[in-house]
Amino acid sequence: MYFTDRGIEELVERRGDESVAVEWLAERLRDFVDANPEFETAVERLATYLARYDEDDDL
């Protein structure tokens, strides 16, 4: 298990029954990068991955 799995599991436990809009998620990602600019590259990669997820079988 990766260290990040703990955060992912907490997300599922706390928010698993909720639905969110892409706009809401994008705004939270922007807020996170504003507060933690050192993670800009990682957030950018995650956002790109999510944007292209169903388009590219190589992901």
Side-chain angles (χ1 to χ4, degrees), residues 34-54:
D34 287 347
N36 303 280
E38 67 274 18
F39 293 108
E40 181 178 7
T41 300
V43 171
E44 177 66 21
R45 288 180 181 174
L46 174 61
T48 300
Y49 173 81
L50 294 173
R52 298 176 182 171
Y53 180 76
D54 59 349

